[in-house]
Amino acid sequence: MSYNNILSKVTNSINTIIINRPNKLNALNKETIKELHKAFKAAEEDSEVKVIIVTGSGEKAFVAGADISEFADFDVKEGKKLSAKGHDILFDFVENLSKPVIAAVNGFALGGGLELAMACHFRVASDNAKMGLPEVSLGVIPGYGGTQRLPNLVGKGRAMEMIMTAGMIDANQALTYGLVNHVTTQEELIPLCTKLATKITNNSSVAISAAIRAINANYTDGINGFDIEIKEFGNCFGTEDFVEGTTAFLEKRKANFPGK
Ligand code: COA
C-alpha cells in the first residue's frame, strides 16, 4: 500500500510505521490519521507482522500534535466529530490492536502526538524527546484520549499539572513519571525498540493478544478485568501455541509457536 504521509515497512515480522511530514513536525492532519488507520489495520491483518513500531521522521519530532490549521475554524459540532472519529479510527483502534504497538518517541510528542504515544502499548524515548499536552494554551482540552490515558499512566496529580500548565517534560522526567519505559540516544532508539520487538516476536502471539485484552479490560468501564483474565487464561489452553509452549519446555527446547 502506498501513502502520502506515512512510510510502512515490514522486516523480520516487525512493521515500522513512520509518520512522514517532517516540515510540519509530523502533525496529524486528517489524511495522516486516515492513513495511520489503514496502516495499523493492514498490520493487524498481515500474518507476517508480529509487532509494530511507530515513530516520526526526522530528528525533531515524533508528532507535534493534531494539525492546528485544520480545526482552527471548527464549531462545537465539528469539534465533537473530530474527537470522536479520532478515537474511533486511530487512538482506541491502536490501543485495542491485537498486536503489540511500541511508540518510539524521537522528539516532540505534543497534544495528539503524546496521545498517540499513550494509545500505544508502551513507549521508548530518545533523550531529546519532549512531551506535553499543550491544548489548554490553545483554548481546548486534549481530545484524543489525553485526559483519560495520561492520569492512568502518570497519576492524577501529575496529569492535572501537565494539562493545566500546558508545559513540556523531558525524556528523563517522563521516565521518572512512568510515561516511557526506557530512554536512550536518538541513534539507539530504533535499535532498542527493535531489540524489544524481537524479544516479543519469540513469544506466543496468541497469548500476547490475550494479555493485551486482559490488561486493557482493567481500563474499560463496566468490565471486571479479573473476569476477562479468567476467560482469556482459560482460552489459552485451547490453542496450539499453548501445546507447543508447554511441550517445548518439557522437552527442554525453544518453542516454535505456530501463532494459532
Ligand atoms: N499543527 C500544525 N502545524 C504544526 C504543528 C501543529 N500541531 N506543530 C508544528 N507545526 C508546523 C509549524 O506551523 C511550522 O510550519 P511552517 O514552517 O509552515 O510555518 C512547522 O511545523 C515547524 O514548526 P515551528 O513552530 O516553526 O518549530 P519550532 O521548533 O519553532 O517549535 C514546537 C516547535 C513543537 C514547540 C511548535 O511547533 C509548537 O508549539 N507546535 C504546536 C504544538 C501544539 O500545540 N500541539 C497541540 C496541538 S492540539
Side-chain angles (χ1 to χ4, degrees):
M1 217 176 299
S2 75
Y3 304 100
N4 294 324
N5 304 287
I6 64 172
L7 304 167
S8 178
K9 68 166 186 204
V10 181
T11 313
N12 297 330
S13 304
I14 301 167
N15 190 165
T16 305
I17 298 173
I18 302 173
I19 301 156
N20 190 29
R21 297 182 77 212
N23 295 340
K24 295 289 174 192
L25 302 187
N26 305 321
L28 296 177
N29 60 359
K30 216 166 139 188
E31 191 185 27
T32 307
I33 290 180
K34 275 192 191 154
E35 289 186 353
L36 281 168
H37 172 77
K38 278 190 192 153
F40 280 109
K41 192 161 186 281
E44 176 97 314
E45 287 165 0
D46 184 347
S47 57
E48 205 198 316
V49 174
K50 289 191 176 164
V51 183
I52 299 138
I53 296 173
V54 60
T55 193
S57 74
E59 297 196 342
K60 199 166 164 185
F62 173 71
V63 170
D67 193 318
I68 298 166
S69 66
E70 278 192 348
F71 62 75
D73 61 353
F74 274 15
D75 63 17
V76 171
K77 205 171 152 201
E78 289 169 310
K80 278 188 185 150
K81 200 173 154 203
L82 178 77
S83 173
K85 182 128 196 241
H87 279 272
D88 187 34
I89 70 168
L90 185 57
F91 299 85
D92 290 354
F93 190 77
V94 167
E95 183 167 56
N96 292 306
L97 218 68
S98 68
K99 298 179 182 180
V101 187
I102 305 172
V105 181
N106 60 311
F108 288 115
L110 303 174
L114 181 55
E115 289 172 303
L116 176 61
M118 292 194 293
C120 295
H121 297 125
F122 64 90
R123 290 142 293 284
V124 179
S126 55
D127 49 18
N128 63 316
K130 292 243 172 10
M131 284 157 257
L133 294 178
E135 283 85 349
V136 299
S137 71
L138 298 167
V140 283
I141 66 166
Y144 287 145
T147 63
Q148 308 303 300
R149 292 192 180 99
L150 188 63
N152 280 340
L153 285 163
V154 306
K156 186 176 171 185
R158 286 165 169 169
M160 285 280 190
E161 183 181 333
M162 282 178 70
I163 290 172
M164 288 171 183
T165 61
M168 294 183 209
I169 58 169
D170 65 19
N172 284 321
Q173 185 81 68
L175 184 65
T176 309
Y177 277 13
L179 186 52
V180 302
N181 292 6
H182 308 274
V183 174
T184 184
T185 59
Q186 185 131 48
E187 213 173 45
E188 280 301 311
L189 180 63
I190 296 301
L192 174 58
C193 290
T194 305
K195 197 171 146 194
L196 292 164
T198 304
K199 213 168 166 185
I200 293 170
T201 62
N202 293 331
N203 297 320
S204 159
S205 52
V206 180
I208 286 170
S209 302
I212 292 172
R213 287 190 292 274
I215 294 167
N216 279 347
N218 185 39
Y219 301 92
T220 311
D221 271 350
I223 287 183
N224 183 322
F226 290 98
D227 289 344
I228 302 297
E229 183 185 90
I230 291 165
K231 185 180 118 207
E232 294 288 351
F233 176 79
N235 286 345
C236 289
F237 287 73
T239 67
E240 291 180 32
D241 275 12
F242 173 73
V243 175
E244 169 59 9
T246 48
T247 306
F249 177 80
L250 296 172
E251 291 175 356
K252 298 191 187 305
R253 62 173 172 81
K254 206 169 162 282
N256 182 14
F257 291 109
K260 289 184 210 159

